[in-house]
Amino acid sequence: MENDKRTSPGKLLKEIASKHTNLGQRKKKKTKRLISVKKILVTPTTLRIEPPQVETANRVLRQFRAHLDRFLRVQFIDERGTQVHTSSNMSLNNDAVYNRLARVLRNGIQIGSVHYTFLAFSSSQLREHGCWFFANTTTVTVDNIRRWMGNFSEKRVAAKYAARMGQCFSSTQAITKLAEEQVEVIPDIERNEYTFSDGVGLISPELAQVVAHAHRHRQAQTSSAFQFRLGGAKGVLTVAKHLKEKVVQLRPSQIKFVSTHRMLEINRVGYASPVYLNRQVILLLSSLGVEDYRFMELLKEMLSQIDNILQDPVQCGVILKQNSDEYGIHRSMERIVSAGFLEAGDAYITNLIKVFRVSRLKEAKKKAKIHVPDATFALGVLDETNTLEPNQIFFQFIDGKVIQGDVVLYRCPCLHPGDVRVVQAVDCPALHDLHEVIVFSQKGERDVPSMCSGGDLDGDTYSIIWDNRLFPTNRNADPMTHKVESPGELNRHVEVSDIQDFFLDYVQNDNLGQIANAHMVFADMSPDGACADVCKRWAERHSVAVDFPKTGKVADISDMELPTSYPDFMEKKSKRSYESPKVLGQLYRAIDVNELNEYENGLESNPKYDNRMWVAGMEKYVYAARTLKEKYDEDVRDLMRQFGVPTEAELMSGSIVKWLKQDGRESFYEARNHARREVHRLREHWRHQHFPSLRKKKPKHSRAQKEEDEAKAAAWYYVTYHEVEQLAEDRRNKRLLSFPWVAEEILCKFARTNPNTPHAPLAELTVCSYARSQSNSSATTSSDEE
């Protein structure tokens, strides 16, 4: 077998793609929204075949779904599994390494009898040093696909050309196809060479309802704005009550290239989220006059709340709601807590809350991630009524609460003192139909979003803070002028080789992280903090580096002084370090590192059976539940191995404290999101297969079906929690506990309605009497495709 794998890489790729399902050996549910794609890692000396990656579909993959097996995600890394960049020990200044990557891009990748050719890349892929390849067929080629995507011929800058192609690879949900007459064009609002309406258009309420109905996000129903793609247009659409029927109105600033594609696609819906400070924001606010003790106050308040969540279920529920995620994991945890399981000492939810708490501590220590209660984070849109005055904003929560008074406004990343603004939040009756979006004025000499790190309204999100403890004494420093520079246009059409050259240039000169780190060091060392001239120069270089993917202009730092030592909070173990006396150093040292290192020892491994989970008739399903639990546990352990997550609690809560795989192929947030998505799919698969009454799109079920599902859930809980079911092997390996919580709604119902009456263990003869029928049933069910 090993010889076969070595001599037949194509066969190996197919084998991995077909067997690695992340759901045991079962087939994945196919949906229009999620797709599974092959992935290859390219190092200077090897090709590494990765398990298929599940992700939200994009326009191209939806159109060519029949050829999905011909697409290949390719990512370039060094031999250690980390990104290759300018500060890497294996620098691309090494001609051999550079030439290796160039050969792969230009010559393609041969796997068995299949040849994959470079296609394109999205903006997020470029940041990860990744791109799409495609294996041509007799009818579909990379050239066909590019022509179908749109007409990019007017772009004479390779970076801009590539960015426009990349729009087609944005992860989106297709909503509805629009007729030509449903798409109108309205003028931009421009003044003093600034475009106040940059990236924002309008959508009618009737069409917004179509989006809300089709979109999976629970908050789509009340959204006032949507980030979208439509042919060659992108940006944000604000719901406009004056528009009739089903129409959108686009502005020229939103239309990036010509395309006949008429499908309205949604990237995300607009809703408010909690605000967390980070190192960059804290550095700026501190440099602008906010006292150190204010940040320490906020940290202590947050730590106090976190420390109490195991003892205070109400506070625990509040914090879980504040940290809701798009896959509903924290909402699920909150429901379990509200049903009384945390108070009762249930091992499963206790472990989930423990790792959630430790992960919050880790983010506070490593990233200075500190929650600000009196603040919110939301999409920016334009005041289409022209009511707001200069330097005014409007924000209204879904419950009708309107923020009023001075607020701190910023957008991340932010390095320049002028990136943080103090503006006036006002009540504006003309805007009361808009909820949970930050509405900016179209009046004034310069638009406020552009002052915030060069922002616009094409999907940028902004934070506003009305906690006066964080109001800077030095308000509204002169903003930086974010002028986008271009390296010059070609005197001919852009060719594929130009795009490949730009990709290589980006990989070789991507110094954004290096610049951000240097800015942080000098801001920490300087008495003036981020207001120091050297920090402003680094901020200017950072702005150029941020625009590199669109302009192709490298941020030149050859004339800049580089750090020779680093503050302790940056944890540069291979560099000279010093103890920072400033606020970031104080925050870093305020959290005990021992608790972060020893959290696994505090997890519960001996679950206690809750008598309220006992239901008459559950004995019919216990025998089958034992077999199903083995298969489910195998699925969970597969995911734990795939992502390098050491504990079930970390995987199921999405609060990952420690990664056993330090490969750097994805950022922390991307890897965590990927893991959460797979956990969500795992749960939905098992719910769909075994609990008909819990399916999302469910017909009305009979009482008998609901009673069957309840008895089944009780049986699953019994085989997981009851002492007689816990084998010696389970005790040694820490028994997995998430199996019955697939049906959490049913267990929560039991907790609220069933008596806490002790019962004798089920007789094995009774359990075995159902063995034949239930074994046959479970075998049939588990082999079915969704």
Side-chain angles (χ1 to χ4, degrees), residues 650-669:
E650 290 170 82
L651 180 72
M652 303 310 295
S653 68
S655 301
I656 301 170
V657 180
K658 179 169 62 178
W659 300 87
L660 299 180
K661 288 183 179 179
Q662 299 292 328
D663 54 22
R665 296 167 196 170
E666 296 177 299
S667 73
F668 167 79
Y669 296 104

Side-chain angles (χ1 to χ4, degrees), residues 156 352 389 454 496:
R156 296 300 176 97
L352 263 59
E389 296 300 324
V496 173

Side-chain angles (χ1 to χ4, degrees), residues 108-120:
I109 297 174
Q110 188 79 25
I111 302 178
S113 60
V114 182
H115 185 77
Y116 294 89
T117 305
F118 171 82
L119 175 59

Side-chain angles (χ1 to χ4, degrees), residues 70 192 306 373 470 567 645 656:
R70 311 291 288 186
N192 301 329
I306 293 173
L470 295 179
V645 178
I656 301 170

Side-chain angles (χ1 to χ4, degrees), residues 43-59:
T43 77
T45 61
T46 64
L47 294 178
R48 301 181 190 173
I49 298 176
E50 288 283 285
Q53 183 168 312
V54 177
E55 57 186 60
T56 304
N58 58 54
R59 181 185 304 175

Side-chain angles (χ1 to χ4, degrees), residues 518-721:
H519 175 274
M520 186 167 292
V521 172
F522 286 109
D524 186 74
M525 296 176 66
S526 171
D528 296 326
C531 296
D533 289 341
V534 64
C535 294
K536 291 179 181 178
R537 291 197 298 274
W538 278 112
E540 291 169 357
R541 299 299 199 282
H542 188 271
S543 177
V544 175
V546 167
D547 290 332
F548 184 14
K550 294 182 292 185
T551 65
K553 181 173 178 60
V554 177
D556 183 8
I557 59 173
S558 60
D559 62 333
M560 299 294 289
E561 179 186 358
L562 298 176
T564 56
S565 61
Y566 292 80
D568 53 350
F569 61 80
M570 293 184 72
E571 295 187 338
K572 297 286 186 180
K573 297 179 180 178
S574 61
K575 308 287 185 180
R576 287 177 53 194
S577 181
Y578 65 91
E579 185 175 294
S580 170
K582 290 196 172 182
V583 63
L584 289 178
Q586 297 171 41
L587 293 168
Y588 173 76
R589 292 186 294 274
I591 299 175
D592 184 8
V593 71
N594 290 328
E595 189 168 5
L596 304 182
N597 296 331
E598 300 171 2
Y599 71 97
E600 289 185 64
N601 297 332
L603 299 181
E604 303 287 337
S605 57
N606 296 310
K608 180 182 177 182
Y609 183 78
D610 188 331
N611 293 312
R612 296 173 298 174
M613 303 299 110
W614 186 283
V615 172
M618 69 180 189
E619 63 273 8
K620 298 178 184 178
Y621 304 98
V622 167
Y623 191 91
R626 291 171 180 168
T627 302
L628 290 172
K629 186 176 189 303
E630 290 179 4
K631 295 178 179 179
Y632 173 87
D633 287 356
E634 179 186 345
D635 292 346
V636 172
R637 288 193 170 98
D638 279 348
L639 288 182
M640 291 170 65
R641 284 189 290 268
Q642 177 185 342
F643 292 104
V645 178
T647 67
E648 180 192 32
E650 290 170 82
L651 180 72
M652 303 310 295
S653 68
S655 301
I656 301 170
V657 180
K658 179 169 62 178
W659 300 87
L660 299 180
K661 288 183 179 179
Q662 299 292 328
D663 54 22
R665 296 167 196 170
E666 296 177 299
S667 73
F668 167 79
Y669 296 104
E670 289 161 345
R672 184 179 66 181
N673 192 57
H674 188 187
R676 286 176 173 177
R677 181 168 62 239
E678 288 296 338
V679 167
H680 175 73
R681 283 170 40 76
L682 174 75
R683 283 172 49 84
E684 289 302 308
H685 168 85
W686 281 83
R687 285 164 65 88
H688 180 90
Q689 291 283 47
H690 300 286
F691 296 94
S693 64
L694 298 181
R695 292 173 185 169
K696 287 183 177 179
K697 296 181 179 178
K698 56 188 179 187
K700 289 185 177 180
H701 291 288
S702 65
R703 182 175 180 82
Q705 180 64 66
K706 292 179 180 179
E707 290 178 350
E708 178 183 325
D709 283 357
E710 289 181 359
K712 196 182 296 181
W716 287 26
Y717 184 89
Y718 182 86
V719 301
T720 303
Y721 276 77

